[in-house]
Amino acid sequence: MSAQKNILLLGSGFVAEPCLEYLLRSGNNRVTVACRRAEKAQELTSKYPGSTAVSLDVEDDAALEAAVAAHDLTISLIPYTQHARVIMAAIKAKKHVVTTSYISPAMEELDAAAKEAGIVCMNEIGLDPGIDHLYALKIINEVHAEGGKIKSFESFCG
């Protein structure tokens, strides 16, 4: 069994619940769900042992930096306009970060600093591109494992 990982999940929107459920499957992860409205995060975490809810305003740099520093990994499911801010906090804390957006010019400017900090900054792991492909592969593998055959596949997202 691998060591426990503490993961900060920013956001509690549509994609947060399947992400949270997946992260907790192994039993090795503890996930903090952070969003502006604590009750929204609590509604989500109440269904999943191993998760906790906190209120966090990502525009409060000190609070964001403290939250990122307290975790091994940050997954940002918040609006893309905030991802550069999240990456800056991850660089400062020397913690890995995953975002769901395409790489913006502001994020690209942080590339050298992320490399210097020795962190992995994985982007474009959102719905399109990203999660749609992962879930498609998951479903296809499950069908194959049961002896089934995929005759056609269509994906609608975006």
Side-chain angles (χ1 to χ4, degrees):
M1 185 177 234
S2 62
Q4 178 176 302
K5 297 292 182 195
N6 294 308
I7 301 168
L8 176 63
L9 182 61
L10 298 176
S12 59
F14 184 69
V15 177
E17 186 165 0
C19 182
L20 176 61
E21 186 275 328
Y22 179 80
L23 292 169
L24 292 171
R25 281 184 195 174
S26 74
N28 294 335
N29 298 325
R30 296 293 168 255
V31 181
T32 302
V33 177
C35 65
R36 283 178 296 178
R37 293 180 30 228
E39 64 275 3
K40 184 85 169 141
Q42 289 165 345
E43 180 183 321
L44 180 58
T45 59
S46 68
K47 304 177 213 174
Y48 297 96
S51 66
T52 54
V54 298
S55 175
L56 177 66
D57 178 359
V58 297
E59 293 187 3
D60 178 340
D61 291 332
L64 176 61
E65 289 170 3
V68 169
H71 294 83
D72 301 305
L73 170 70
T74 297
I75 300 173
S76 182
L77 302 178
I78 59 178
Y80 76 95
T81 55
Q82 299 293 342
H83 287 163
R85 181 185 301 272
V86 173
I87 293 168
M88 285 189 279
I91 290 168
K92 186 172 184 179
K94 296 188 178 195
K95 302 290 181 148
H96 304 300
V97 64
V98 175
T99 76
T100 55
S101 67
Y102 290 98
I103 300 170
S104 69
M107 293 163 66
E108 193 168 1
E109 288 177 10
L110 299 171
D111 183 58
K115 288 176 181 171
E116 186 175 316
I119 67 167
V120 173
C121 184
M122 191 173 288
N123 301 295
E124 301 186 8
I125 310 298
L127 173 61
D128 177 19
I131 292 172
D132 58 336
H133 300 150
L134 293 174
Y135 275 103
L137 187 57
K138 176 187 177 287
I139 292 166
I140 290 167
N141 287 339
E142 288 172 354
V143 169
H144 289 161
E146 299 271 331
K149 183 178 179 182
I150 304 292
K151 292 183 178 182
S152 90
F153 182 83
E154 290 183 55
S155 176
F156 298 93
C157 69

